[in-house]
Amino acid sequence: MRHKRWRWLVALLALTALVGAACGDDEGDGGGGGTVEEFPADTTMGRIQEAGEIVIGVKFDVPPFGFKNPQTDEVEGFDVEMGGFIADALGVEPTYVEAISDNRIPFLQDGTVDLILSTMTITTDRDAEIDFSEPYFIAHGRILVPEDSDIAGVEDLAGRTVCTALGSTYEENLGESAPEAELQLVDSYSECLELVQTGAVDAVSTDDVILTGMIIQDPTLMLVGDELTVEPYGIGIKDGETEFKEFVDGVLADVKEDGRWQELFDKWIGQYTGQEATPPDLTLDEALELRPCVETC
Ligand code: GLU
């Protein structure tokens, strides 16, 4: 039953992508309204305001969270628009750079980006290296296979090859849930898509919303098995930027409360799946408790 629902999603998303391209999209228009507070030059917010732009690392190949629309050359998606709300609150323009799973933390540490909104799960190990906002989305781990596959769930992965991204939570997740699977670690999820399409791997495992994006591109793929993990997404902030984190959390709280979160969910997910959702009320501390440290303790 689940699979039929996703097939329907595929058709609708393809159609909407075409209509969206034809009509032009209101990407980046946060619509938050209100006046923009001016911050002192010695704060991160002030520095960004002086530069007139905020640099945000997003995925470029993960619809519906962050993807470069080949028809418009614009980067679009839930993460992209969420970043746009933060830019709006600072009164600056967002500049999006591609952040794959493995370079999200280095990009924050070396100043390539001001923020990461790249389908990034809050984990205790990551929290030791960077700061996180309060959770803004909750995804779940799943498995994707070709429709003629005999894999029906995680229990069938022993001795099979499974693709996921280097630096993603699935390096560890799969080691626990499918210890006898052979992992193929790649830089970006579009490579996993190619590998499963050509039969070079038997399955892909990552967040349900990312796998859905693959089904949009290739409806002969399908999700199997139960939800494997809970993946609360947080906005990545450079370690120790406490004031900036408070500012980002303030914007997030407004977005969750004033209907913009709901609009984003409906626009990028709900209208296709028929799912309804409310903004996550999980706190950062609760998200961290879901994933005790592995490497940093
Ligand atoms: N949410 C998971 C993570 O942060 C998987 C998705 C990704 O690699 O971006 O590792």
Side-chain angles (χ1 to χ4, degrees):
M1 264 180 27
R2 237 186 160 109
H3 306 151
K4 283 201 179 117
R5 196 173 69 187
W6 290 113
R7 287 290 153 77
W8 175 70
L9 159 74
V10 170
L12 259 173
L13 264 176
L15 185 68
T16 310
L18 287 175
V19 172
C23 300
D25 221 60
D26 59 347
E27 180 230 313
D29 173 15
T35 49
V36 172
E37 184 182 345
E38 291 263 335
F39 290 93
D42 63 350
T43 63
T44 302
M45 292 80 81
R47 175 185 57 73
I48 291 169
Q49 286 182 326
E50 204 157 295
E53 69 158 7
I54 182 166
V55 183
I56 304 174
V58 297
K59 291 280 190 333
F60 273 24
D61 63 346
V62 173
F65 270 71
F67 64 102
K68 200 162 194 180
N69 183 331
Q71 283 153 332
T72 60
D73 230 25
E74 297 286 331
V75 193
E76 300 176 355
F78 189 103
D79 277 344
V80 173
E81 289 199 38
M82 191 63 87
F85 293 149
I86 294 162
D88 288 343
L90 287 167
V92 299
E93 286 300 318
T95 296
Y96 298 103
V97 301
E98 182 174 19
I100 59 172
S101 302
D102 204 37
N103 65 19
R104 293 175 291 199
I105 292 177
F107 271 13
L108 282 169
Q109 289 173 330
D110 69 14
T112 302
V113 298
D114 297 307
L115 289 177
I116 285 285
L117 274 125
S118 178
T119 61
M120 190 172 194
T121 299
I122 295 165
T123 74
T124 306
D125 287 312
R126 290 173 178 170
D127 191 56
E129 296 188 85
I130 60 167
D131 285 341
F132 278 109
S133 70
E134 293 295 315
Y136 69 91
F137 191 84
I138 299 183
H140 296 91
R142 295 290 300 274
I143 295 164
L144 175 108
V145 294
E147 64 185 351
D148 57 0
S149 171
D150 59 0
I151 296 170
V154 70
E155 61 284 357
D156 297 329
L157 292 181
R160 313 301 284 270
T161 44
V162 185
C163 187
T164 196
L166 192 68
S168 75
T169 45
Y170 292 84
E171 273 192 73
E172 182 197 319
N173 293 349
L174 289 167
E176 280 169 19
S177 61
E180 284 166 45
E182 192 188 314
L183 291 196
Q184 173 99 29
L185 297 173
V186 295
D187 281 337
S188 60
Y189 286 105
S190 41
E191 291 173 64
C192 281
L193 173 60
E194 247 182 77
L195 291 172
V196 76
Q197 283 175 318
T198 59
V201 298
D202 299 307
V204 181
S205 186
T206 186
D207 299 338
D208 46 5
V209 283
I210 297 178
L211 298 174
T212 303
M214 295 184 189
I215 299 174
I216 291 162
Q217 295 165 70
D218 183 347
T220 69
L221 301 169
M222 64 181 186
L223 295 177
V224 289
D226 298 327
E227 289 174 352
L228 303 172
T229 52
V230 183
E231 307 278 337
Y233 290 176
I235 300 176
I237 300 157
K238 192 173 185 174
D239 196 37
E241 297 210 323
T242 312
E243 271 180 304
F244 192 31
K245 174 186 153 43
E246 276 165 21
F247 173 79
V248 169
D249 280 339
V251 177
L252 262 186
D254 288 346
V255 168
K256 287 178 183 176
E257 225 176 272
D258 64 16
R260 280 181 287 164
W261 189 95
Q262 203 68 58
E263 276 173 33
L264 280 195
F265 182 87
D266 292 344
K267 176 176 176 182
W268 293 109
I269 296 144
Q271 66 162 313
Y272 307 118
T273 61
Q275 285 172 325
E276 286 181 14
T278 48
D281 56 6
L282 188 80
T283 65
L284 176 57
D285 287 341
E286 288 165 342
L288 289 168
E289 272 170 33
L290 287 176
R291 234 171 243 275
C293 63
V294 176
E295 284 163 11
T296 55
C297 51

